[in-house]
Every structure is written in C-alpha cells, then in structure tokens.
Amino acid sequence: MANSTTPLREIGTELAPAPPGHEHGTLTAWIQDLVFTVDHKKLGFLYIGMAWVFFIAGGILASLIRLQLAVPNNHVLDAETFNGAFTMHGTAMIFFFAMPMVFGLANYIVPLQIGARDMAFPRLNAFSLWTTFFGGCFLFLSYVAGPGLYGTGAAPDASWFAIAPLTSRAFSPGNNIDFWSLGILISGVGSITGGVNIMVTIFCYRCKGMTLYRMPLFTWLVLVTMFLVVMFLPPLSAAQIMLVLERFFGAKFFEAQAGGSPVLWQHFFWIFGHPEVYILVLPAFGVISEVIPVFSRKPIFGYPMMVAATVMIGFISAGVWAHHMFTIGMDSFSVTFFAFATFVIAIPTGIKIFNWLGTMYGGKLRMEIPMLFCIAFLFQFLIAGLTGIMLGCAPFDWQLNDSYFVIAHFHYVIVGGIVFAVFAGFYYWFPKATGRLLNTRLGLWHFWVFTIGFHLTFDPQHFLGFLGMPRRIYTYQEGRGWEFLNMLSTIGAITQGVGALIFIINMIWSARKGKIAGDDPWDAWTLEWTTSSPPPDYNFEEIPEVRSRRPLWDLKHPEDPDWKFE
Amino acid sequence: MTESSLFTIFVVAYLFYLGKSLNPPYPREVLEFPWLGSFFLFGSSATVVVAEHRLKKGNLGGFHLWWLITILMGFGFLIYTGAEWYHLIYHDGLTLSTNLFGSTFYSLVGLHASHVVVGLLLLTIILIASLTGNIQPRHHEHIQMISWYWHFVDGIWAVVVTVVYIIGMQS
Amino acid sequence: MLNHLHTKYSRTMRGSGRGWLLLGFTVAAFIGFLSSAPVARAQDSTIRAIQNIFDPLSAPAETIYYVSVLVMVVCAGIFVVVGGLLVYAIIRYRRRGPEDDHEEPPQVYGSAAIELAWTVPPILIVVMLVLVTARTIGEIEHHKMPDAAEEIRVIGHRYWWEVRYPKHDVVTANEIHVPLSTRTNRVPTEMILESADVIHGFWVPQLNGKTMLVPNYRNTMWIEPYATGIYLGNCTVLCGQQHANMLIRVVVDTPEVYQKWLESQKQASVSDPQVAEGQQQFISNSCGTCHHIEDARGATGVFGPDLTHFSSRATLGSGVATNDDQHLRSWLMNPQDLKPGCLMPNMQLSSKQVDSILAYLRTLK
C-alpha cells in the first residue's frame, strides 16, 4: 500500500505471484474459454479487443480518405469507393469501436467498483457481446458482397446516417444499405440488452453501504449512459426497420413520391443520433472523473453537482436533436428552440469542466501518463465544446453545417475527447486487468506523437470549413484554397496512425514484459484497487462493506476518513 | 422503457402521415373499431390476474385454468387481427406498399402483434412448465414478471386503438 | 438592413484584401469566348474561388458574419479564461518531486459558493447568445422581399442544378445569373429550392448560409450580392457518386449586363443550316429524350439539363470541366470519363457523330 516515501512507480515491484489464470494451457482450451465465458472480465476483454480491431479497420479507412484528399483531383480512390470508405469509417468507428469500448470498460470496471462478483445476467452479457460482434462482421461482410473484392464490394455508401431518400431502392439499388441497416439492427439488440444488464447490476448488486450517492463517478456516468442506451437506441432500430420494410417490402415511409417525408428519417435518426454521442462521451467523462482525483491526490470537487450535471445532460440530450437539421428548412420557432436547448446543454457540461479544474486546484498533480491524457482531454474537450457552441448558433451553423468545420468539431469530441479519455483509462486500469504496468517510455512517445498528429489532422479542418469545403466529397478542384490545409491534415492523420501503433505495441509488449503492478500501483481509492491485479475470477474474497465514496482512503487514512466529512 | 421508445417512433410515423396518403384506401373507409379484438386482449389481462391470484393461493388447478383461458383469449385476438388483415388485403386492397397509411398501419399493428406472439409463447411455456410440475406457488413473483409483460402488451394495444382507430378513423 | 448596405462599398474594397489566400485568376479565353456570342458582355469575370465565410459579399451572409464574430469572440474569451486556469493549475500545483509525497494535499470535497459562482456566468452568457441568435434567425428568415426582387427556382438533380426564372420564362442549368444589388437599387434574389430526387444542399458561402433541397418539400432562401463576379459553391448533402462534382456557379452581374443576359436566354435557339446535320444527329441519337432545346423539334426531355443556351455557359457537367471543345468532345464520347457515375450514359457515338453534334451545340449560345 502507499507508504508515503515510496514513489508511485516503485510500488508493487516487490515479488508478486504471477497473476492467477496466467497459465493458459492449450490454445484450444483458451479459445474455448473465451468463446463460452460469461465472466464479465473476460467479456470486457472481448469487447475491448473487438473495439480495437474495428478501430484499426476504421483507421485504415480514414487513412485512405486522407490520402485521397491530400491533393486536388486525386486518384487514390474513385468516387464510389470513397463514398463507401467514409460511410464505413463513420459507422465502424461509432458502432463497432466506440460503443463496444464503452461496454467493454463498463463490463470490466463496474462490477469491481461496486463490489459485485459479476453482472446481473452473465449469460445475457455474453449474448450481448456476440450479437454486437456478429453485427460488426455482418457490416464488413459488405466488402465482399456485390462485385466482391475485385470491385469495391457493396459497402454502404450513403454516409453513416444513411440519408433518405438516397437510401431507397430507387437510388441505392444494390444491397449496400441493407448491410448497414441489418448490421446495426443486430448489434443494436446487443447494445440494448447490454444496457439493461448493466443498469440492473448497478441498481441491485451494489455492496453493503454503497448507496447511489457513494458510487464512483465512473459507475454513475455508466448508469446514465445506459439509460440513454435503452431509451434512444430503439428509435434507430425503428427507423431502420422502416427502412428495411421500405427497401424489401415496398413500404412507403420516406419516399417523396408517395407523399412521404425524408425529413422524418432525419428526425428519427437524430433523436437517436444525438443521445448517441452522449452515450459515447459520458463514460469518457467517467474515466476522467476517476483519473484526475487520483493523480491530483484530492477527491473530485463537488461530487453531488457532478452527478446532477450528468443527469441534466442526459435529460437535455433528448431535446437537442434537430440542431443537426438547422439547414433543412424548419420553421424559425423550431430552429430557435433547438439552438436554445443546445446552448443550455453547454451549461452542465461546462460545470463538469470547472469541477475537474477545481479538483486539480490545490492538489499535487502527478504527471504520469494517465494524467497527461486527461490534461490533453481537458484542453481538447474545451475546444470541442466551444466549437459546439458555435454550431449551436443556428445562423452560424447555416454556414458551417455539412462542412469540414463540423467534421473538425465532432472529431475533437470523439478523438480529442473520448479516445484520449480511453487512453487515460487504459494506462490507469491496464495494470489492474493484467497485473503489469504499461511502459512509460512508449507511453510518452504514444502521447506526444498521437497528440501532435491529432492536432495536425483536425485543427486545419476548422479552417477548411471556414473556407467553404463541404463534407463527403471525394475530390476537390484547385484554386479553392483548400490544398495546403488538406495536405497538413493528411500528414497529421498518418502521424496519428503511428501514435496508435505505438500504443498497440505498448499493450502487447507490456502484457508480457511490463513491470509488475501489484494491487494498487496508483495509490487510488475505489474498490477495484482492493483486490489483486488481475482480480480473481470471483473478484473479491469477501464482498466489501463501504462507508464513504472512497473506501480505500478510509482504510489508508483511519485518522481522517471520508465518512466523517461527507 | 426500450419498448415504449420503439413503439413511440411507429406511433409518431402513423400520426405524422395521417391524411397524407396520396391514394386510397384511407383509414375511415376501411377501418372498423376493433371491439372483439379489444375484448379478447383486455379480457386476457383480467384473466391473467385471476390466474396469478390462484397461484399465490396455491390453487394450481385454478391457475392452470385461468392461465389457459388467457392464452386462448390471446389467440382469439390474433385470429381477429388475422381476419381483419385478410379483409384489408384481399377486399380493400390495402397492403404495406399501397400508400403511407398502409405502411404505417401494418408496421405499427404488426409490431404489436409480434409482441403478442412473443407473449403467447412465453405464456405457453409457463403453462407447459406448470403442467409438468415445475411451477410452485412460491414462484408467483416470477410469474408476475410474465404477466407484467402481458399487461404492457395490452397497454400498447390501448395506445394503438386510440391512435390508429379512434384518431385515425377521422381521416 | 440599411446598415449593411452602408458598409458594403467599403466592404467590397476591403474584401479583396481581406480574403485569406486570394488567388483570383481571370480567364482570358473565357472572355474571348463570350465575346463571340451575339450579345456584348461586359461581365465581371473575377472568379471568387476562395469562399471565405468571413468575407461576406451579400446581405444575409453579412448578417451571419456579425453574429458569428460575436459568438467566436465569446468562445475565444471562454477559452482564454478556462485554458489559462488549466495552464496555471498544471504549473502551480505540480508535484515537485519525492519531497512532495509525504503528505496529501487538503482534501476539499467541494464548495456550494464556488459552484454557484461558476454556474451563473455561463447561464448569463447562454441567455445573451440565445437572444442574439433568435434575433438573427428572424432577421434572415423573415426578411421582407421588395417587389423588385428577382425570383429564381432551383431544382436539384443528381448531379446538376435546374434553374428557372419564373418572372422571365427563362430556363437554364448549372450557371445561375443574378443581378447586383446596390443601395439605391435594391434587388435581392429570392430562391425557391426544390429537389427532383434526393436531398441536396446549396452553398455559396459569400452569398448566404446553406439550405437543403428536399424532395416533396419547398425551401426558400435569399441572397443580396453587392459585388459582381463569379461565385463558386458546392452541393453540400451527399447525393450519390458525383456529389463532389455537383458544383455551383453564381454569376452576379450589374443590372444592365443581367438584362442583356436575360434577353439572350429568351431568344430561341439558332437554327443554322450549317449545323443541320448535327441537329439531326442530336435528335436521332435520342439526346432529345433527356435534353430540352427550345424550338428544336424532338428535344423535349426534362431529365437532363436544358441545352438551349448551352454554349453560353462557362463549364459543363455542373462544373466538372470547362466548356471548351476538348472537354465537350470528351464528354460526348463518354461522359463517364469526366464524371463517372453521372446519369448520362455512354451514348456510343462515333467520332464523326460527336464532331457534328459538337458543332451544333456550339451554335446554342
């Protein structure tokens, strides 16, 4: 345990037994174990492993896109392939990287943080995972469909939100769109069942003494996230069912010729789509809310307000969807209302940023790798939020919507925010999950290369938006003023790829050769650090009983426990 | 919650497109208020409550009887719906692809009907389990979960009746 | 409104210096080509290729510009304050070294006063932003069009723009001519936006924000340009394979030049006996089933762009190539070479057929 004079890095280097289960036996036994497991930790690994695989796929697609756009009138990808590339990039990254990552982290960490032995419904958990995985495979199967690998396959090519009526049979005659709708419908079932599972676990399986107000913030944020999942994934499924009925059975939902309305598709999609981005970002907030306090050596500033702000964000996120539709020609009352709601949601979000700052103030900041990623997150998420406010101002959005400014904004949120938070979470919890610390040297390389690459990629894109470059174009003409910025962006994308590669190397290397971490390498305070690294199958020898939000702090500081002050 | 969210979207689609079909048949021409179907479905909610009571009191025979009646009434609802659809398709010429009304009507009512089918499956499994001696009075809380699902399906039917028939028949 | 026009002259002067990388290149051949038309053109051929949203040249774009600057200043201010606090915290509260480990810092759980202090300013900022936004929305969307306003209907197709002038009975494609608006003679242009197939988007940043063209749905937007020139723009909503090449060209002319252009567009297509062969080829190869040419029997199609004054346009294929003989020949041989995925199929014409049709099309000025 943290005996003050020992720097954090030294803790845990005393001889620790090899983590249990380290001997895998035969390969087939190992595979069989993974395929049939219902243990939340192994399922967490599977989710996360799946997420990284799709991340790489999405990253390759992104690199191709950036290569094509590096210079005007380029010929790396033709129009059809390009349209498929960005559609698949977006779809894969959101549904098969980000969502599984959320579920993976939640699966692994939440039971440990609430002192439970597993999820409420372990078999349903496995079902959710494999359903999601199957959906992802189905989606990528599209590349071998249609004209097959010799052609461009039949990858969906109507953008990740499948704009009607481009998606109707008349305008998309092949099966591309069907891979999209069916792949996501299938994985949607996985997501919804996973959401139910996690919610029940959090409500019913907390250990003794852990009231909702004593839960770690990561768990709180996951709870609100799962509420959003079960409420707002169904609209997507419903809309996709309608699309499938339209494409296969001639139903008339979005067809203009039958009097249908393509605008309705947009409403349905964005009613899902906006809460979806909060589904992705709230767990990221959760990670940040765990890492910053530990590395500032102070509790989170204003825990009740953080919870309140999160719940508010959850509620308001249901009411901002049409800010994606400012240019479709809504009446000015609706436009004003949604602009208003978008501005309002910035308030609880801003409060969270202030609370994180408040946590750092007066602390003793340890600039370890997790903290570095958190700091980058704070800067980048701040910028992302501010560009979001710019987009929330409807007239400004009339210029910037569907331009590269929007791409810059949401990549700042998703990459600059969520991916950075995921990295922070990895460096923080990898030692718990594997028993070994991630290598610091490689970590620093990873951090700097990826951060520089990130900024080089997306900072210029804001200006491309200012200069009138629209989204989803496979090429552009000379003389528009876009050449230099696009080239910068492409160089940045390659750099980011290198950074991500360094991370993957770090993970693989450290899993075998990393420094032994011990139970509690960071001197942290939540329940997962009370058990061994990695935890045994049953998680805890004895289910703990807690009296405050930081049970380990109470144990380590019996003279100054939290429950005296909370 | 999930299910409500799912149904809400189909309800919204139906209401949004009411009156906007470009060609007949239109709701007021072909829809008839579903008295019989509603009697079956709402009635089955009542009978399932009775069945639960019997189980709680330990009256397994009564439980079997009322549970079976519930299932039969559920089937009655499905048969009624089937007959209604048959009439709509073959006599009125209304299919999923005819017009906006057809698409939204069949998708909404169909979604509900599919939930009824799932419910009947669950009820039947419970009945078989019970007949083979696997259900005891102490399981009544688990059975309650199934009956809640059934009540939910009925609740959705109430919404469907209001939206599709009462409001819809104005157009 | 008048406020904006008051500054527009100074704006035009400053605009050319204000733009970011302003590469204006005049197309001398273009001017020469146009001067061979039956109408004398003193058109401003400045191509405004750099469409910077912060260099507005039209009234609604300028309105958006002012609110944008305000929002950006507010955001920049927030960034400086919060970013500054973050930098300060990192420097001031860093762990100095092992000597810092002997004691944990004061375990502060929170402070209601501080929470309130940092909740109120954001609320006030939001209130201000909402009011400003609402006012700007109203200013642009509820703008009263004067009677002298020009009116055009733009119908989006895959992948070209159909343009109709209801007040003048003129139909053209891809190249949109509009009159200049001045302080003394205000002539905004109202645009009705519709779509023939999927959703498209119309965006010329220096003229206004974008608006979508949605099938079965009618949108309106307006522009009021106060600088002549040729404004480039793009379709902004993915509409299929050639979405990237559905380019916009808005030509803003002084009222005199604009009138002349309208006159020339109203004239019937020329029936030159020298190109009778070409005209006949045009009809017999079914070109007329998709393309309309005024007064040419058999050319009544509405699926493709109207070609009555095709050779008066600077580009072909909605901007994918300049409208010179070399590109036109390539297009006629196989449009899929220049614009793969566009909806004009390869008509399998022989080189001779292409030559005669080309000669005919060149008379359609």
Side-chain angles (χ1 to χ4, degrees):
Chain A
M1 290 294 146
N3 187 328
S4 346
T5 49
T6 334
L8 277 176
R9 263 180 221 140
E10 303 295 314
I11 292 169
T13 49
E14 57 260 81
L15 225 57
H22 201 72
E23 323 77 25
H24 292 309
T26 63
L27 184 65
T28 41
W30 185 63
I31 294 178
Q32 195 173 20
D33 182 31
L34 279 181
V35 168
F36 289 107
T37 185
V38 294
D39 171 34
H40 74 98
K41 297 185 291 299
K42 295 206 182 99
L43 289 172
F45 275 146
L46 287 170
Y47 263 117
I48 292 172
M50 160 169 61
W52 286 123
V53 167
F54 282 107
F55 181 74
I56 293 173
I60 292 174
L61 289 165
S63 310
L64 288 171
I65 292 172
R66 284 305 335 154
L67 280 172
Q68 165 66 12
L69 291 175
V71 294
N73 295 314
N74 208 354
H75 298 287
V76 171
L77 300 175
D78 63 43
E80 214 183 308
T81 316
F82 185 89
N83 288 2
F86 67 71
T87 304
M88 290 293 277
H89 166 77
T91 309
M93 285 303 204
I94 294 191
F95 292 104
F96 300 106
F97 160 65
M99 297 227 13
M101 184 60 79
V102 164
F103 279 102
L105 284 175
N107 248 301
Y108 197 97
I109 302 294
V110 167
L112 288 171
Q113 281 197 335
I114 61 176
R117 295 212 184 277
D118 204 318
M119 286 286 187
F121 306 117
R123 278 171 297 188
L124 186 66
N125 207 2
F127 169 77
S128 305
L129 168 86
W130 291 111
T131 311
T132 308
F133 181 64
F134 181 64
C137 291
F138 189 79
L139 177 72
F140 273 86
L141 202 60
S142 61
Y143 270 118
V144 272
L149 283 174
Y150 289 113
T152 57
D157 55 4
S159 85
W160 87 280
F161 83 96
I163 314 174
L166 184 60
T167 48
S168 66
R169 272 262 179 244
F171 301 113
S172 290
N175 281 115
N176 318 39
I177 304 301
D178 303 312
F179 279 103
W180 182 86
S181 16
L182 292 170
I184 299 178
L185 266 173
I186 294 170
S187 69
V189 172
S191 304
I192 295 173
T193 47
V196 170
N197 207 346
I198 295 176
M199 270 170 59
V200 174
T201 309
I202 295 177
F203 277 126
C204 304
Y205 282 80
R206 278 165 288 129
C207 64
K208 197 154 179 231
M210 188 178 279
T211 60
L212 282 175
Y213 254 0
R214 286 192 192 143
M215 287 199 310
L217 274 178
F218 178 75
T219 304
W220 247 115
L221 281 147
V222 166
L223 179 63
V224 177
T225 304
M226 295 305 149
F227 258 106
L228 294 178
V229 166
V230 303
M231 284 272 349
F232 292 107
L233 238 51
L236 175 66
S237 310
Q240 288 173 324
I241 291 173
M242 289 180 189
L243 184 63
V244 168
L245 288 175
E246 191 176 284
R247 286 177 58 87
F248 283 102
F249 300 107
K252 315 245 180 286
F253 286 105
F254 311 112
E255 232 179 275
Q257 288 198 337
S261 167
V263 181
L264 198 64
W265 167 267
Q266 299 222 1
H267 277 296
F268 287 162
F269 187 89
W270 289 117
I271 287 175
F272 149 76
H274 196 82
E276 165 71 8
V277 311
Y278 285 98
I279 290 171
L280 301 180
V281 94
L282 290 183
F285 288 168
V287 173
I288 303 294
S289 304
E290 295 288 326
V291 177
I292 289 189
V294 169
F295 288 82
S296 307
R297 310 310 303 158
K298 289 174 65 216
I300 189 80
F301 188 93
Y303 175 100
M305 198 53 179
M306 288 294 263
V307 172
T310 308
V311 173
M312 265 199 283
I313 292 176
F315 269 113
I316 304 175
S317 75
V320 300
W321 80 86
H323 67 218
H324 300 268
M325 296 164 58
F326 278 151
T327 56
I328 209 165
M330 290 189 293
D331 58 284
S332 38
F333 176 72
S334 304
V335 171
T336 312
F337 171 76
F338 283 103
F340 162 72
T342 309
F343 287 140
V344 165
I345 207 173
I347 298 177
T349 319
I351 288 176
K352 291 178 94 71
I353 297 185
F354 296 143
N355 278 49
W356 288 318
L357 269 180
T359 310
M360 290 165 67
Y361 255 70
K364 289 189 181 170
L365 310 180
R366 297 177 182 265
M367 298 300 191
E368 313 268 346
I369 311 278
M371 190 59 167
L372 289 179
F373 277 106
C374 286
I375 291 174
F377 169 92
L378 285 173
F379 270 116
Q380 284 153 191
F381 188 74
L382 175 64
I383 296 176
L386 293 173
T387 55
I389 291 187
M390 292 183 213
L391 290 169
C393 169
F396 205 178
D397 184 74
W398 290 338
Q399 287 283 23
L400 295 173
N401 180 234
D402 270 328
S403 75
Y404 262 77
F405 188 86
V406 176
I407 297 187
H409 161 73
F410 69 69
H411 280 94
Y412 249 78
V413 179
I414 300 187
V415 183
I418 297 172
V419 173
F420 272 71
V422 165
F423 286 146
F426 259 75
Y427 280 87
Y428 183 58
W429 278 311
F430 185 92
K432 174 54 55 181
T434 62
R436 294 176 185 276
L437 290 159
L438 279 167
N439 182 280
T440 311
R441 195 105 176 269
L442 281 175
L444 281 169
W445 273 101
H446 164 213
F447 174 73
W448 287 110
V449 172
F450 194 83
T451 305
I452 291 173
F454 167 77
H455 283 278
L456 211 53
T457 312
F458 297 111
D459 293 357
Q461 291 188 359
H462 291 98
F463 299 100
L464 280 171
F466 289 151
L467 287 174
M469 182 170 179
R471 288 173 76 167
R472 308 189 173 120
I473 52 174
Y474 77 96
T475 190
Y476 53 95
Q477 291 66 35
E478 296 162 344
R480 297 301 299 268
W482 301 336
E483 297 94 322
F484 177 62
L485 293 168
N486 265 297
M487 177 57 82
L488 269 185
S489 187
T490 302
I491 295 172
I494 309 296
T495 314
Q496 260 187 96
V498 172
L501 195 63
I502 297 176
F503 175 64
I504 294 182
I505 294 174
N506 196 352
M507 277 203 290
I508 297 175
W509 184 88
S510 302
R512 298 184 172 277
K513 299 241 177 71
K515 221 182 270 184
I516 304 281
D519 292 358
D520 181 19
W522 307 117
D523 193 4
W525 306 308
T526 41
L527 280 179
E528 71 266 32
W529 305 104
T530 60
T531 184
S532 64
S533 302
D537 280 347
Y538 45 84
N539 288 353
F540 300 97
E541 281 201 19
E542 248 181 61
I543 299 289
E545 189 179 328
V546 305
R547 291 183 72 179
S548 77
R549 291 175 190 141
R550 296 190 298 167
L552 259 191
W553 170 276
D554 297 343
L555 279 173
K556 295 176 193 173
H557 300 264
E559 76 290 353
D560 179 28
D562 266 0
W563 47 263
K564 269 203 183 149
F565 298 97
E566 274 179 9
Chain B
M1 240 172 36
T2 302
E3 297 280 309
S4 315
S5 189
L6 189 68
F7 274 100
T8 304
I9 298 294
F10 283 96
V11 167
V12 167
Y14 182 85
L15 288 171
F16 182 75
Y17 282 137
L18 215 47
K20 296 211 174 95
S21 294
L22 296 180
N23 51 278
Y26 301 115
R28 64 177 176 279
E29 295 169 3
V30 299
L31 286 184
E32 273 170 18
F33 194 84
W35 294 109
L36 191 59
S38 303
F39 165 74
F40 277 132
L41 205 58
F42 291 138
S44 68
S45 255
T47 58
V48 85
V49 170
V50 175
E52 274 182 275
H53 273 162
R54 294 283 184 273
L55 178 66
K56 209 164 162 186
K57 294 225 180 83
N59 180 355
L60 275 180
F63 169 66
H64 290 151
L65 175 67
W66 286 99
W67 199 258
L68 181 64
I69 294 178
T70 308
I71 295 177
L72 290 174
M73 291 185 82
F75 260 113
F77 170 81
L78 281 181
I79 293 171
Y80 170 82
T81 304
E84 184 194 19
W85 284 24
Y86 180 85
H87 190 88
L88 284 172
I89 295 172
Y90 291 105
H91 294 162
D92 297 317
L94 179 74
T95 64
L96 187 67
S97 58
T98 309
N99 57 10
L100 293 174
F101 166 56
S103 300
T104 52
F105 173 82
Y106 282 111
S107 56
L108 178 57
V109 178
L111 187 69
H112 175 261
S114 66
H115 281 71
V116 172
V117 169
V118 167
L120 283 179
L121 259 158
L122 289 173
L123 291 173
T124 311
I125 292 174
I126 298 294
L127 184 65
I128 295 175
S130 183
L131 287 174
T132 53
N134 286 312
I135 310 265
Q136 300 301 323
R138 67 172 187 279
H139 291 130
H140 78 270
E141 270 179 15
H142 296 92
I143 302 300
Q144 204 172 41
M145 293 285 128
I146 308 286
S147 73
W148 277 12
Y149 174 80
W150 193 247
H151 292 311
F152 171 76
V153 170
D154 275 6
I156 297 288
W157 179 245
V159 172
V160 171
V161 167
T162 312
V163 166
V164 173
Y165 293 93
I166 297 180
I167 300 180
M169 277 162 75
Q170 311 298 322
S171 301
Chain C
M1 207 57 249
L2 286 175
N3 227 353
H4 302 146
L5 289 174
H6 175 71
T7 57
K8 72 140 171 70
Y9 279 119
S10 46
R11 196 151 262 308
T12 340
M13 291 306 113
R14 279 183 294 169
S16 42
R18 184 191 290 250
W20 290 47
L21 321 153
L22 200 58
L23 318 172
F25 50 92
T26 35
V27 182
F30 173 64
I31 297 176
F33 173 74
L34 282 183
S35 62
S36 66
V39 189
R41 289 180 181 265
Q43 192 182 65
D44 178 358
S45 54
T46 316
I47 298 198
R48 302 190 184 278
I50 312 284
Q51 288 285 315
N52 185 349
I53 66 171
F54 296 120
D55 182 20
L57 291 175
S58 151
E62 198 172 350
T63 311
I64 295 178
Y65 168 75
Y66 286 127
V67 80
S68 311
V69 167
L70 173 66
V71 173
M72 284 187 55
V73 163
V74 169
C75 290
I78 297 174
F79 178 72
V80 164
V81 169
V82 181
L85 286 172
L86 181 55
V87 170
Y88 177 74
I90 297 171
I91 299 174
R92 167 81 176 78
Y93 297 106
R94 228 168 58 248
R95 168 182 172 266
R96 310 267 170 232
E99 70 276 7
D100 245 354
D101 288 338
H102 67 277
E103 189 182 50
E104 304 280 28
Q107 301 289 297
V108 177
Y109 297 100
S111 155
I114 296 182
E115 299 265 15
L116 196 63
W118 66 40
T119 308
V120 172
I123 293 180
L124 295 174
I125 293 176
V126 161
V127 169
M128 185 266 292
L129 285 176
V130 170
L131 292 173
V132 169
T133 303
R135 204 193 76 176
T136 312
I137 294 172
E139 213 175 298
I140 295 181
E141 287 205 2
H142 298 294
H143 181 249
K144 275 224 159 30
M145 284 284 141
D147 292 326
E150 183 57 274
E151 191 184 296
I152 57 177
R153 264 179 82 200
V154 178
I155 300 149
H157 295 255
R158 296 167 95 204
Y159 307 96
W160 59 281
W161 307 91
E162 180 184 339
V163 190
R164 294 176 171 264
Y165 293 72
K167 281 184 176 175
H168 309 283
D169 219 7
V170 166
V171 178
T172 180
N174 295 324
E175 215 172 82
I176 305 174
H177 288 244
V178 293
L180 181 73
S181 182
T182 60
R183 202 184 345 166
T184 46
N185 181 22
R186 293 198 49 219
V187 192
T189 302
E190 182 163 32
M191 300 168 58
I192 298 173
L193 304 171
E194 298 164 308
S195 169
D197 38 38
V198 298
I199 302 183
H200 299 274
F202 187 95
W203 192 30
V204 180
Q206 287 183 304
L207 293 180
N208 197 353
K210 66 185 65 68
T211 307
M212 294 191 189
L213 293 80
V214 182
N216 201 28
Y217 200 84
R218 196 171 232 232
N219 275 333
T220 44
M221 65 181 267
W222 64 282
I223 58 175
E224 190 167 345
Y226 36 69
T228 53
I230 302 170
Y231 295 69
L232 302 187
N234 289 71
C235 171
T236 57
V237 179
L238 180 69
C239 46
Q241 225 173 313
Q242 282 297 326
H243 161 65
N245 282 321
M246 189 168 159
L247 302 172
I248 300 172
R249 241 175 139 80
V250 177
V251 182
V252 178
D253 295 322
T254 57
E256 305 77 43
V257 176
Y258 179 67
Q259 280 308 314
K260 287 208 190 106
W261 177 83
L262 277 177
E263 295 303 320
S264 77
Q265 293 289 312
K266 283 188 218 177
Q267 286 172 10
S269 66
V270 173
S271 227
D272 189 338
Q274 280 190 329
V275 292
E277 162 72 17
Q279 184 173 2
Q280 209 243 322
Q281 286 288 337
F282 186 88
I283 303 301
S284 61
N285 279 293
S286 315
C287 309
T289 50
C290 286
H291 293 284
H292 175 253
I293 297 179
E294 189 73 30
D295 295 332
R297 274 185 56 191
T300 52
V302 291
F303 190 65
D306 186 299
L307 297 180
T308 313
H309 298 282
F310 169 71
S311 290
S312 71
R313 304 203 271 266
T315 62
L316 56 82
S318 76
V320 78
T322 42
N323 193 359
D324 52 41
D325 283 1
Q326 183 208 349
H327 287 122
L328 183 56
R329 179 163 282 118
S330 172
W331 182 272
L332 290 171
M333 289 300 293
N334 185 6
Q336 300 295 320
D337 279 342
L338 281 175
K339 204 169 175 182
C342 78
L343 294 173
M344 174 164 161
N346 184 347
M347 301 304 286
Q348 314 283 352
L349 301 170
S350 74
S351 191
K352 271 197 67 189
Q353 288 172 310
V354 166
D355 285 341
S356 59
I357 292 179
L358 192 149
Y360 170 58
L361 289 176
R362 283 291 172 244
T363 65
L364 299 175
K365 295 202 170 95

